[in-house]
Amino acid sequence: MSKVDDTYARIEAADRPEVFISLRPLSEVALEFEASMAAGGPLAATILAVKDNVDVAGLPTTAACPGYAYIPDDDAPVVAALRAEGAVVIGKTNLDQFATGLVGTRSPHGAVRDSRRPERISGGSSSGSAVAVALGFADIAIGTDTAGSGRVPAGLQGIVGVKPTVGALSTVGVVPACADYDVPTIFAADLDLANLATGVMAEETGERPFDRATRFAAPEAPVIAVPAELPELDDRWRGAFSDAVAAAEAAGFTIKTVDLTPFLAAARLLYDDALVSQRYDAVGEFIDSAADSDDIGLDPVVAQIVSKASGYTAVDLLRARRRLAELRALAMEQWGDATALMVPTAPFHPRIDEVVADPIGVNSRMGTYTNFCNLFDLCGLAVPAGVVDEADGTRSQFGITLLAGAHEDAVLIDLA
C-alpha cells in the first residue's frame, strides 16, 4: 500500500469527518504524489493539509462559513512555496469560523475533537490542521495565528507549532482576522520538519523579510525568563511546567522570573478593547449582510463577536494602540536580558461541553499565554513538554511555548 493509500485508509478508519472541510480525491493526490517523488525536492512526498482560510487554487476557501465561499485561481504564496518544493495538498481543514476562537468548536461543520480524547476540544482556531497532523492525516499543515491559533492546538495535540515573526511570511491569499497581527503558521510532528517547512514558506516573504542582521543561533549562555506567577494554569499542569523549567536549567540555561502583569494586560486589549475592531474590518460587513440568512452558515458566537467589534471609534483605536505601546515598554523592562520567555502554551484542556456552557469565558482563558505575542511583535514556537495525569484518569498533552523578539525565529529552534 502506498503512502497516499495508507493515509486515506487512516482517514476513513478514524471517522473524523469534522477535520476536513474539503478532501481531494485520492486519485488526484496519488498522481501529484508520484510526480513529487519523481521530481524530488526537500519536501518531496510530504502530505500537506491547509487551513480553510488560506487559498489553494481550485479548492473553495470558506473560512468555515459556507456562504462566504469562493474558489481562488492561485495558491496563497505560502502554499505555492511548499508545493514548489514537493509538498502535496490533501485538502482544506476545519477551523473556528473566520479564525475567531481558540477552542475549535465554532464551526458549522462541527467541533473538531481532540485527537486522543474526543470529549475534549482540539484547540483553535487552526483546529483541523493540528488534528490532521496529530492523527497522521498529513505530515505538515498550514494554520494561521492572531491570538494563539497556531500554538494552542499544537500544545493540546502534542505537536510542534511554529508562529513566525509578524510580516515575515506573506499573508496574500489568507482571509484576514486582524490584518495587523495575522501570521501563517506550520504544524508538524517534529521540530526538524517544522523548521524545514517554515524556511520554505519564508522564501515567499511578507512585508518584513529576514535580513542579514537576523540572529540565526542562540547565544552560548541563554537566559530564559519564566513567569513569577502562573494565572489560570490548571493545578495539575503546574508540576509539568516546573519540570520544563528544570529541563531548561539542566540544558544549561539561566532562569530568571518576570512579572507577567503588563503582558496579560495587553492580551486583554485584543478582544476587550478597540483592537478587536480589525475583526469587523475584515469580515464584519459580510456578517451583517448575512445575519438574517439561514443558509449562510454563520456561527452565532463568531457573529456576535465580530458584529460587536463595530462599536468602537477611531479615537478608541488610537487610545488602545497608545496603551499597547505603554504596556509593551513595561513588558520589555521585565524581559531585560532574557534570550526568550517560556510560558505554558495553554492553561488547561477543557471538555467540549464546558465550552458549550461558557463559550466566551473558556475561550478567553485559553488565550492567557498567547494573546499578547503578536501584539508585542514576538515570534513563538510551541513544543510538546510531557503529559499530565488528569483527575478523571485520562492524560493531557502538555506543551510550552518559547517566545523571542522579532526575527529571532531561528533562536527559538536552537533553544527548543
Side-chain angles (χ1 to χ4, degrees), residues 51-387:
K51 186 177 181 178
D52 197 24
N53 62 341
V54 180
D55 287 350
V56 175
L59 295 180
T61 298
T62 75
C65 181
Y68 183 81
Y70 64 89
I71 299 180
D73 293 327
D74 301 306
D75 290 336
V78 289
V79 175
L82 294 172
R83 295 180 98 171
E85 299 297 346
V88 178
V89 173
I90 191 171
K92 305 291 291 295
T93 56
N94 202 358
L95 63 148
D96 283 310
Q97 192 171 83
F98 295 117
T100 302
L102 293 172
V103 286
T105 64
R106 299 171 175 177
S107 170
H109 302 282
V112 179
R113 296 167 287 168
D114 178 58
S115 57
R116 297 167 179 84
R117 297 173 299 170
E119 75 281 1
R120 297 193 183 236
I121 67 167
S122 58
S125 63
S126 307
S127 51
S129 287
V131 172
V133 170
L135 288 176
F137 300 166
D139 300 305
I140 56 175
I142 288 176
T144 61
D145 188 307
T146 305
S149 295
R151 290 164 281 154
V152 167
L156 297 185
Q157 299 311 311
I159 60 176
V160 175
V162 181
K163 200 294 298 179
T165 295
V166 176
L169 306 187
S170 172
T171 55
V172 172
V174 178
V175 178
C178 291
D180 286 348
Y181 308 112
D182 296 338
V183 184
T185 67
I186 202 76
F187 297 105
D190 65 75
L191 192 59
D192 289 342
L193 182 55
N195 186 32
L196 172 61
T198 304
V200 169
M201 292 167 73
E203 294 173 7
E204 293 291 343
T205 56
E207 298 176 354
R208 302 171 68 198
F210 295 97
D211 59 32
R212 293 179 181 178
T214 300
R215 184 165 64 170
F216 287 105
E220 290 186 6
V223 176
I224 304 298
V226 299
E229 302 290 338
L230 293 165
E232 302 293 346
L233 188 64
D234 183 270
D235 288 342
R236 290 176 177 267
W237 290 33
R238 290 176 182 272
F241 188 72
S242 295
D243 290 344
V245 173
E249 288 183 300
F253 303 165
T254 298
I255 304 298
K256 64 176 283 186
T257 57
V258 296
D259 180 4
L260 275 195
T261 300
F263 296 83
L264 301 179
R268 290 189 289 273
L269 290 176
L270 191 57
Y271 284 105
D272 297 338
D273 210 315
L275 295 183
V276 77
S277 62
Q278 283 207 341
R279 290 197 179 270
Y280 188 85
D281 176 57
V283 295
E285 291 181 359
F286 169 81
I287 286 178
D288 285 351
S289 68
D292 296 327
S293 301
D294 295 331
D295 58 350
I296 296 298
L298 284 177
D299 179 87
V301 175
V302 172
Q304 175 188 352
I305 291 168
V306 175
S307 294
K308 184 180 177 182
S310 67
Y312 294 98
T313 68
V315 173
D316 293 332
L317 183 58
L318 290 171
R319 287 172 176 163
R321 287 178 169 170
R322 188 159 57 246
R323 178 58 176 157
L324 177 60
E326 293 169 354
L327 289 169
R328 187 180 190 280
L330 292 172
M332 292 305 103
E333 285 181 16
Q334 286 291 317
W335 190 294
D337 63 349
T339 310
L341 170 66
M342 185 170 74
V343 294
T345 301
F348 75 130
H349 195 163
R351 299 186 312 273
I352 292 174
D353 62 358
E354 292 177 294
V355 177
V356 171
D358 183 14
I360 301 296
V362 172
N363 190 87
S364 178
R365 184 179 172 191
M366 293 303 295
T368 301
Y369 297 100
T370 58
N371 282 2
F372 59 82
C373 177
N374 291 3
L375 300 181
F376 281 176
D377 200 15
L378 305 174
C379 57
L381 176 61
V383 293
V387 295

